[in-house]
């Protein structure tokens, strides 16, 4: 009986394992079964095919120990783009840090290895140049894919646009794929995620970008376009409790993306110079024919640029939240549509056009768009060993948006050394930057025309040095600056380079520059024209003078540290131009008249001297200290020391010194003083006089009570 019971138990366990494993495998074969059922075959044949599918599931299970699920061919790829900017440390209401809550939600939502879906992880940030593939796509447990998030330390900025562009390298050509972006705000690296999404939609029309927006009550506008352009979904997560349901929803959508093969492009790329017209039947059913051009098209001209077409079932302009019934990225195409009133929106680069379209009961309805825009081709001309070795950035602003003294919002920020851009007709400021080298040009874009702009970042070499005539003792203490004319900067000039090197060498774009060398209070300025590929040097000669200062402290006082503060005044106008607490400071100044003051100790001991200096003149100033060394104490009538609560010292000009020391000591200028001390027996007052170089003890006697 025991044996039979055990046999039944083992049998139940084995059957249960088979059933569970078969269910898992049948889930993996769901797409295959659905394909079989959708075939136009007789019912009896469908039954046979389903039986074959079930048999295949059991056969696969039988070989499971030899060929595990994650070793089989993957059905597709789901990659996660994860934000590592500093704001991800912020807490979600009801939970912990955003990146920790998101990690926990993704761990539960990512597909298991049995689903035969490759999963990968790419982290963007910290900083605008870092995009890291932490886990290349593979069939693996979610914990292995997301392992890098357990030690994540978000900080700095997050380059969403750059991450979107680089994510295309994660996916296999022709295999189903889906991208999940996890972020808590817009791209803060001055790049355009919408432009990156347009590139994704053009290169991989089948690739959807789904977004989980952390800490958001509504989709962030500059990210919402990413999901719309790629036909993905945007789910917001306002609290920690919403994170897991949001992740589950997004990953279910991503899994649905795995059901079909990667779609082919809607139309083939036409041959150069040949305009491929959309096909339509003049006598056929109602259809919408869309075409576009830059201005008035020329005969046989091919636009050659994909236009984003969105068609709404509305006779008037739809709201921003409205969902289009058709969203296509093609230069031109035709599509069957029911008769009625529609609204069409077209976008090409930064150019926009929209309007009503009416489709009749028969034949084509033509909607032709003439964009009031032109093509701007921008190239950056660099040179080897100079700006050409440094990544370049092109910023384009509307000239009308940049009034004097202000900087307008960029229309486009392009991180490439060459680009072709569609822009609405108008004037633009095109600014190129490569390291410390910049170039700027005002460009007029005309409708239907192509404008080519070559920004010259070819450089020359400028070496600077300075000469004071004061010897090598001050070499290496210079500060050099190089500036250019800029009406938008304070003073009309903008500093483009700075160095504290003794003989700096600057790599600069060809142009005219203003140079300056500063040493202490002395300055020298120059101007130089630098040509591309040239090497120039310039020596700036400073009309400088030097003052060496020291204080003559009595020998018996030098052993005790007393702070000496030197101040240098210009005489006309009288103001402090430099100060130092060194024992023997040196001041580099321009020729002129000055007064040197030394404050010794923290009392009223002071010495000063005026002097006039010429160019390249050395002067040594010794300030004589005239002071007496005073020690204060309180005694009783028998001369025994008493405890003092505090001391105050005055002269005819007012308060001089206050201290809580029992027996204080200090340097005081020669003269007469009043002193008082608060003791346990009451207030004690007295007077004393001190002469230069004198050392004395001043005692106040208290009467016993």
């Amino acid at each position: 009986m025991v044996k039979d019971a055990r046999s039944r138990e083992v049998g139940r366990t084995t059957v249960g394992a088979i059933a569970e494993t078969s269910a898992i495998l049948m889930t993996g074969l769901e797409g295959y079964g659905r394909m079989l059922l959708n075939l136009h075959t007789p019912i009896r044949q469908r039954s046979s095919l389903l039986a074959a599918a079930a048999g295949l599931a059991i056969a696969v299970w039988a070989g499971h120990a030899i060929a595990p699920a994650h070793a089989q061919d993957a059905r597709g790829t789901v990659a996660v783009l994860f934000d590592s900017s500093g704001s991800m440390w912020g807490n979600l209401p009801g939970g912990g840090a955003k990146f920790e809550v998101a990690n926990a939600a993704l761990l539960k939502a990512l597909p298991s290895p049995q689903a035969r879906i490759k999963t990968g992880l790419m982290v963007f940030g910290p900083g605008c140049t870092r995009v890291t593939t932490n886990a290349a796509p593979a069939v693996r447990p979610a914990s292995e894919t997301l392992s890098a998030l357990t030690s994540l330390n978000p900080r700095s900025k997050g380059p969403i646009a750059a991450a979107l562009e680089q994510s295309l390298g994660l996916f296999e050509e022709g295999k189903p794929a889906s991208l999940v972006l996890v972020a808590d705000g817009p791209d803060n690296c001055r790049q355009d995620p919408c432009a990156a999404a347009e590139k994704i939609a053009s290169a991989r029309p089948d690739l959807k970008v789904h977004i989980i927006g952390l800490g958001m009550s509504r989709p962030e506008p500059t990210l919402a376009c990413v999901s719309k352009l790629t036909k993905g979904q945007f789910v917001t997560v306002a609290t920690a409790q919403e994170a897991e349901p949001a992740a589950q929803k997004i990953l279910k959508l991503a899994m649905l993306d795995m059901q079909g093969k990667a779609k082919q492009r809607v139309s083939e790329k036409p041959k150069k110079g040949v305009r491929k017209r959309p096909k339509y039947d003049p006598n056929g059913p109602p259809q919408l024919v869309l075409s576009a051009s830059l201005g008035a098209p020329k005969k046989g001209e091919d636009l050659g640029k994909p236009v984003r077409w969105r068609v709404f079932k509305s006779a008037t302009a739809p709201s921003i939240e409205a969902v289009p019934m058709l969203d296509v990225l093609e230069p031109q195409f035709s599509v069957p549509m029911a008769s009625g009133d529609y609204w069409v929106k077209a976008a090409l680069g930064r150019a926009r056009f929209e309007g009503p379209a009416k489709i009749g009961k028969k034949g084509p309805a033509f909607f032709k768009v003439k964009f009031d825009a032109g093509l701007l081709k921008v190239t950056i001309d660099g040179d080897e060993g100079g700006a050409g070795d440094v990544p370049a950035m092109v910023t384009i602003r509307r000239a009308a948006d940049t009034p004097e003294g202000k900087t307008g919002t960029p229309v486009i920020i392009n991180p490439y050394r060459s680009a072709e851009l569609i822009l609405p007709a108008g004037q633009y400021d095109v600014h190129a930057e490569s390291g410390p080298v910049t170039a700027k040009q005002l460009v007029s874009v005309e409708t239907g025309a192509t404008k080519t702009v070559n920004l010259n970042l070819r450089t020359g070499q400028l070496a600077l040095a300075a000469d004071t005539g004061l010897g090598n003792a001050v070499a290496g203490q210079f500060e050099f600056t190089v500036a250019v004319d800029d009406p938008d900067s304070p003073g009309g000039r903008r500093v483009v380079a700075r160095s504290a090197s003794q003989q700096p060498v600057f790599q600069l774009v060809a142009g005219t520059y203003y140079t300056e060398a500063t040493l202490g209070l002395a300055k020298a300025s120059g101007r130089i024209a630098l040509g591309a590929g040239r090497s120039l040097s310039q020596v700036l000669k400073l009309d400088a003078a030097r003052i060496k200062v020291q204080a003559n402290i009595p020998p018996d006082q030098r052993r005790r540290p007393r702070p000496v503060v030197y101040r240098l005044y210009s005489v006309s106008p009288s103001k402090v131009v430099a100060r130092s607490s060194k024992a023997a400071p040196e001041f580099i100044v321009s020729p002129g008249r000055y007064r040197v003051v030394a404050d010794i100790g923290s009392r009223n001991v002071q010495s000063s001297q005026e002097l006039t200096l010429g160019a390249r003149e050395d002067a040594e100033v010794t300030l004589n200290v005239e002071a007496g060394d005073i020690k204060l104490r309180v005694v009783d009538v028998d001369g025994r020391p008493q405890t003092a609560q505090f001391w105050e010292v005055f002269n005819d000009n007012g308060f001089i010194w206050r201290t809580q020391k029992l027996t204080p000591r200090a340097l005081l200028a020669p003269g007469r003083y009043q002193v008082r001390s608060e003791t346990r027996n009451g207030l004690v007052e007295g007077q004393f006089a001190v002469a230069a170089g004198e050392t004395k003890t001043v005692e106040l006697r208290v009467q016993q009570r």
Side-chain angles (χ1 to χ4, degrees):
M1 293 295 293
V2 174
K3 182 177 180 179
D4 291 342
R6 290 180 178 175
S7 298
R8 287 195 298 272
E9 183 64 28
V10 172
R12 283 195 299 268
T13 304
T14 304
V15 171
I18 293 174
E20 180 180 357
T21 307
S22 298
I24 293 173
L25 291 171
M26 288 303 292
T27 301
L29 296 169
E30 179 184 354
Y32 177 66
R34 185 181 294 109
M35 179 188 71
L36 295 175
L37 288 175
N38 286 338
L39 293 174
H40 297 288
T41 56
I43 297 176
R44 284 178 296 178
Q45 293 183 23
R46 296 186 192 179
S47 302
S48 300
L49 290 171
L50 287 175
L56 176 62
I58 296 174
V60 173
W61 172 83
H64 181 69
I66 299 174
H70 58 77
Q72 303 173 23
D73 291 337
R75 296 163 52 200
T77 300
V78 175
V80 176
L81 281 186
F82 203 88
D83 190 350
S84 185
S85 62
S87 58
M88 290 289 283
W89 272 111
N91 287 341
L92 280 175
K98 296 174 188 174
F99 76 95
E100 294 175 335
V101 174
N103 181 27
L106 290 172
L107 279 171
K108 296 181 179 180
L110 281 181
S112 65
Q114 287 77 13
R116 295 188 295 114
I117 300 294
K118 290 184 179 181
T119 57
L121 173 67
M122 180 178 278
V123 174
F124 55 92
C128 291
T129 60
R130 181 175 296 180
V131 180
T132 306
T133 301
N134 301 84
V139 179
R140 62 163 78 86
S143 58
E144 295 181 12
T145 299
L146 303 176
S147 61
L149 299 184
T150 59
S151 58
L152 195 67
N153 181 23
R155 60 189 187 279
S156 188
K157 298 180 179 180
I160 295 178
L164 287 170
E165 291 189 15
Q166 295 185 33
S167 68
L168 287 173
L170 296 174
F171 306 108
E172 300 175 82
E173 190 68 31
K175 290 291 185 73
S178 188
L179 190 61
V180 178
L181 171 62
V182 181
D184 70 337
D187 185 305
N188 49 14
C189 291
R190 300 194 306 170
Q191 297 186 25
D192 186 0
C194 301
E198 289 179 353
K199 292 182 180 179
I200 291 175
S202 177
R204 286 290 299 264
D206 61 298
L207 179 60
K208 295 181 180 180
V209 181
H210 304 293
I211 301 177
I212 300 176
L214 301 175
M216 301 180 188
S217 57
R218 63 180 61 184
E220 205 284 324
T222 62
L223 293 185
C225 65
V226 174
S227 56
K228 287 184 179 180
L229 286 169
T230 60
K231 302 178 183 178
Q233 294 291 320
F234 196 124
V235 177
T236 59
V237 176
T239 66
Q241 289 72 26
E242 298 175 6
E244 187 174 333
Q248 295 286 353
K249 177 180 178 179
I250 288 297
L251 266 300
K252 284 181 180 178
L253 292 171
M255 294 293 287
L256 289 176
D257 298 341
M258 303 297 106
Q259 297 299 322
K261 295 182 178 180
K263 298 179 181 178
Q264 300 298 320
R265 296 292 298 271
V266 175
S267 65
E268 296 179 357
K269 185 177 180 180
K271 294 180 180 180
K272 187 175 181 180
V274 178
R275 188 176 187 181
K276 187 173 182 180
R277 300 180 180 276
K279 296 180 180 180
Y280 58 89
D281 184 359
N283 301 314
Q287 53 197 294
L288 179 62
V289 181
L290 301 170
S291 61
S293 64
L294 294 178
K298 298 178 182 178
K299 185 177 181 181
E301 181 186 32
D302 174 28
L303 180 61
K305 300 288 183 181
V307 178
R308 186 190 177 192
W309 302 96
R310 289 184 294 167
V311 181
F312 300 83
K313 189 65 178 74
S314 174
T316 58
S319 63
I320 298 177
E321 295 79 13
V323 178
M325 60 181 302
L326 185 65
D327 196 330
V328 179
L329 192 66
E330 285 295 329
Q332 45 198 346
F333 73 102
S334 64
V335 59
M337 300 282 284
S339 61
D341 294 320
Y342 296 86
W343 192 271
V344 180
K345 290 186 177 182
L348 177 61
R350 293 300 183 272
R352 301 289 186 269
F353 186 92
E354 62 180 284
K358 188 175 184 63
I359 301 178
K361 296 182 179 181
K362 182 181 179 181
F366 296 95
F367 188 88
K368 298 181 179 180
V369 174
K370 296 180 182 180
F371 287 108
D372 185 17
L375 177 63
L376 177 64
K377 295 182 178 180
V378 181
T379 58
I380 298 177
D381 183 14
D383 53 0
E384 295 184 1
D389 295 337
V390 183
M393 182 74 70
V394 177
T395 304
I396 300 177
R397 295 181 172 88
R398 273 193 176 274
D401 295 338
T402 56
E404 186 175 355
K406 294 184 179 180
T407 300
T409 302
V411 175
I412 292 177
I413 297 177
N414 185 63
Y416 305 105
R417 302 187 72 85
S418 62
E420 293 187 3
L421 309 167
I422 302 293
L423 295 173
Q427 285 195 323
Y428 296 86
D429 284 322
V430 183
H431 181 270
E433 181 178 357
S434 182
V437 183
T438 62
K440 185 165 61 174
Q441 186 173 338
L442 181 64
V443 178
S444 179
V445 176
E446 299 177 358
T447 301
T450 299
K451 181 73 174 181
T452 300
V453 176
N454 185 6
L455 294 171
N456 181 15
L457 292 184
R458 295 187 61 201
T459 61
Q461 194 175 79
L462 175 61
L464 294 180
D467 177 25
T468 63
L470 298 176
N472 295 327
V474 295
Q477 301 175 19
F478 298 101
E479 181 182 5
F480 295 91
T481 59
V482 181
V484 295
D485 285 321
D486 186 353
D488 295 334
S489 298
R493 291 182 185 175
R494 173 171 52 88
V495 174
V496 295
R498 190 187 305 271
S499 177
S501 175
Q502 184 174 346
Q503 292 182 332
V505 178
F506 302 102
Q507 203 78 25
L508 302 168
V509 69
T512 300
Y513 294 93
Y514 301 92
T515 56
E516 184 176 83
T518 303
L519 178 64
L521 302 177
K523 293 183 179 180
S525 301
R527 181 179 177 180
I528 191 167
L530 181 65
R534 297 190 62 187
S535 295
L536 300 180
S537 60
Q538 185 181 56
V539 178
L540 299 170
K541 294 185 178 181
L542 287 79
D543 287 334
R546 176 166 49 192
I547 307 173
K548 299 179 180 179
V549 185
Q550 64 178 358
N552 187 11
I553 300 176
D556 60 334
Q557 301 298 328
R558 293 174 185 171
R559 292 191 301 271
R560 294 192 296 110
R562 299 179 184 276
V564 181
V565 178
Y566 298 94
R567 287 175 293 164
L568 182 65
Y569 290 80
S570 61
V571 173
S572 181
S574 180
K575 65 177 181 179
V576 177
V577 293
R579 67 179 68 236
S580 176
S581 58
K582 294 182 178 179
E586 294 184 2
F587 298 106
I588 305 297
V589 298
S590 300
R593 191 177 178 189
Y594 298 91
R595 182 165 63 95
V596 183
V597 177
D599 289 314
I600 304 172
S602 56
R603 317 302 166 229
N604 64 338
V605 180
Q606 188 181 85
S607 181
S608 65
Q609 182 178 329
E610 287 192 7
L611 68 163
T612 302
L613 296 171
R616 305 194 174 196
E617 181 178 349
D618 266 329
E620 295 187 3
V621 175
T622 300
L623 299 174
N624 294 318
V625 176
E626 293 186 354
D629 189 0
I630 300 300
K631 182 178 180 180
L632 302 175
R633 69 173 184 167
V634 178
V635 298
D636 60 15
V637 292
D638 298 324
R640 290 175 299 202
Q642 299 293 302
T643 301
Q645 303 292 334
F646 70 88
W647 295 85
E648 290 183 336
V649 178
F650 303 85
N651 64 7
D652 293 341
N653 295 324
F655 170 77
I656 299 296
W657 178 27
R658 178 183 289 112
T659 180
Q660 291 182 334
K661 292 184 177 181
L662 297 179
T663 55
R665 185 177 180 183
L667 290 178
L668 293 176
R672 298 190 62 82
Y673 298 89
Q674 298 84 43
V675 59
R676 62 185 180 186
S677 175
E678 181 70 34
T679 68
R680 293 180 180 178
N681 296 322
L683 186 65
V684 183
E685 296 181 320
Q687 296 182 354
F688 67 91
V690 62
E694 181 182 9
T695 300
K696 65 187 302 184
T697 299
V698 177
E699 293 184 346
L700 297 181
R701 294 183 179 273
V702 298
Q703 302 295 325
Q704 298 290 342
R705 293 185 178 179

